[in-house]
Amino acid sequence: PGEWWGLFTPARLARAVVRWQNSSNAIDDAEKVMQYLYHEAKDLQWVVARPVWLEEGEALGEVVANLDPFTASTMRYVDLAEWLLCQVDSDTYVKKMPRLK
């Protein structure tokens, strides 16, 4: 974490590759929403879940949330859904944007 490759961090490099592959502004739009929530939505209780890669399949179990800038990992949709439902009754990640693995 935090290692620089020239002007790119691993997260910036990953974003650039995805932008190039998708030729869309979805990543830019997501960044704008996260910036709005962080800076403007002071009266809301929000959590932004940021899984790196999602795939179909049976649940794998425990989801680990961390606040590190980038952690490459894969998780299942069903595990993400369970984690999100647990956040309804939890204040642990309110106004935070954890990466999930």
Side-chain angles (χ1 to χ4, degrees):
E3 182 177 338
W4 284 84
W5 299 332
L7 296 175
F8 288 110
T9 63
R12 285 184 183 159
L13 182 59
R15 278 192 211 113
V17 169
V18 170
R19 259 191 223 117
W20 176 77
Q21 287 176 336
N22 292 336
S23 297
S24 91
N25 291 325
I27 291 175
D28 291 332
D29 292 345
E31 289 287 332
K32 288 176 187 174
V33 168
M34 288 189 290
Q35 291 297 324
Y36 172 79
L37 287 171
Y38 189 77
H39 295 290
E40 305 292 329
K42 307 269 187 228
D43 57 335
L44 297 177
Q45 291 199 2
W46 52 265
V47 175
V48 174
R50 300 187 301 159
V52 176
W53 187 262
L54 292 167
E55 59 185 21
E56 297 287 336
E58 299 281 327
L60 296 175
E62 182 181 359
V63 172
V64 177
N66 66 59
L67 299 172
D68 291 338
F70 185 78
T71 303
S73 63
T74 301
M75 66 183 304
R76 303 284 170 91
Y77 284 102
V78 67
D79 292 324
L80 172 61
E82 184 177 337
W83 187 86
L84 289 170
L85 287 172
C86 289
Q87 300 315 300
V88 172
D89 294 325
S90 173
D91 290 337
T92 305
Y93 293 103
V94 169
K95 297 189 187 263
K96 296 181 182 165
M97 304 176 199
R99 295 262 183 211
L100 304 177
K101 61 179 182 173

